[in-house]
């Protein structure tokens, strides 16, 4: 069993034991403050335990050495930096597009409430602001295509 499969199994067990069971217990019966506290602290205990177990598995020196040698043969630094570049181009362009849409849309709504005939022109500005996020996504696909 590989390290990735082991970590995935631990994370699935953490999800079931840490979220599904405690809150299923809480919502199944009468929802009291004591019952909520029990489910909340059970949730915290199982999630912390699951993360610790996954960390111990991931950073076991013997497993890390074997994973490093196979990872070094498969991918280099350039591939990792390419993935980071793709993530940054998508993420930052979406944040910038969100800020631009927030400003343009609020101004457009104010202008439309005063004069309804400028709806088409204001929609163009909101669409242009939204295009920034799409351009970042396209650049991200171009970067991933080169990897």
């Amino acid at each position: 069993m590989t390290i990735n499969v082991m970590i995935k199994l631990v994370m699935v067990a953490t999800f079931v034991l840490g979220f599904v069971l405690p809150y299923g217990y809480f919502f199944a019966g009468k929802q009291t403050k004591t019952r909520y506290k029990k489910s909340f602290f059970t949730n915290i205990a199982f999630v912390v335990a699951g993360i610790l177990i996954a960390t111990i598995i991931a950073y076991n020196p013997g497993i890390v050495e074997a994973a490093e040698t196979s990872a070094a043969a498969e991918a280099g630094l350039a591939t990792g930096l390419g993935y980071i570049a793709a993530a940054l181009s998508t993420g930052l362009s979406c944040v910038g597009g969100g800020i631009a849409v927030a400003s343009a849309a609020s101004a457009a709504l104010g202008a439309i409430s005063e004069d309804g005939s400028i709806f088409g022109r204001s929609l163009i500005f909101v669409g242009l602001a939204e295009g920034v996020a799409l351009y970042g996504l396209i650049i991200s696909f171009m970067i991933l295509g080169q990897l």
Side-chain angles (χ1 to χ4, degrees):
M1 188 179 294
T2 66
I3 185 170
N4 291 333
V5 173
M6 290 171 50
I7 291 175
K8 287 178 185 177
L9 288 174
V10 168
M11 288 294 117
V12 168
T14 300
F15 176 74
V16 170
L17 293 174
F19 293 104
V20 175
L21 292 181
Y23 290 109
Y25 165 75
F26 174 71
F27 288 117
K30 186 176 180 187
Q31 298 173 359
T32 62
K33 195 172 193 177
T34 346
R35 202 171 171 100
Y36 176 74
K37 285 182 181 179
K38 283 181 185 176
S39 64
F40 180 73
F41 288 119
T42 304
N43 165 262
I44 295 296
F46 277 120
V47 169
V48 168
I51 290 173
L52 286 175
I53 291 170
T55 304
I56 290 169
I57 292 171
Y59 292 110
N60 186 355
I63 296 174
V64 170
E65 285 180 22
E68 282 178 355
T69 55
S70 66
E74 291 177 13
L77 178 66
T79 305
L81 290 176
Y83 286 126
I84 290 173
L88 284 175
S89 70
T90 301
L92 293 177
S93 67
C94 287
V95 168
I99 292 170
V101 166
S103 300
S106 64
L109 284 174
I112 291 170
S113 66
E114 303 238 347
D115 183 15
S117 66
I118 61 170
F119 175 73
R121 283 183 278 172
S122 63
L123 191 62
I124 291 172
F125 289 112
V126 175
L128 285 173
E130 213 171 292
V132 172
L134 293 174
Y135 295 142
L137 189 63
I138 290 169
I139 295 298
S140 170
F141 284 139
M142 290 172 63
I143 291 171
L144 291 175
Q146 295 295 320
L147 297 179

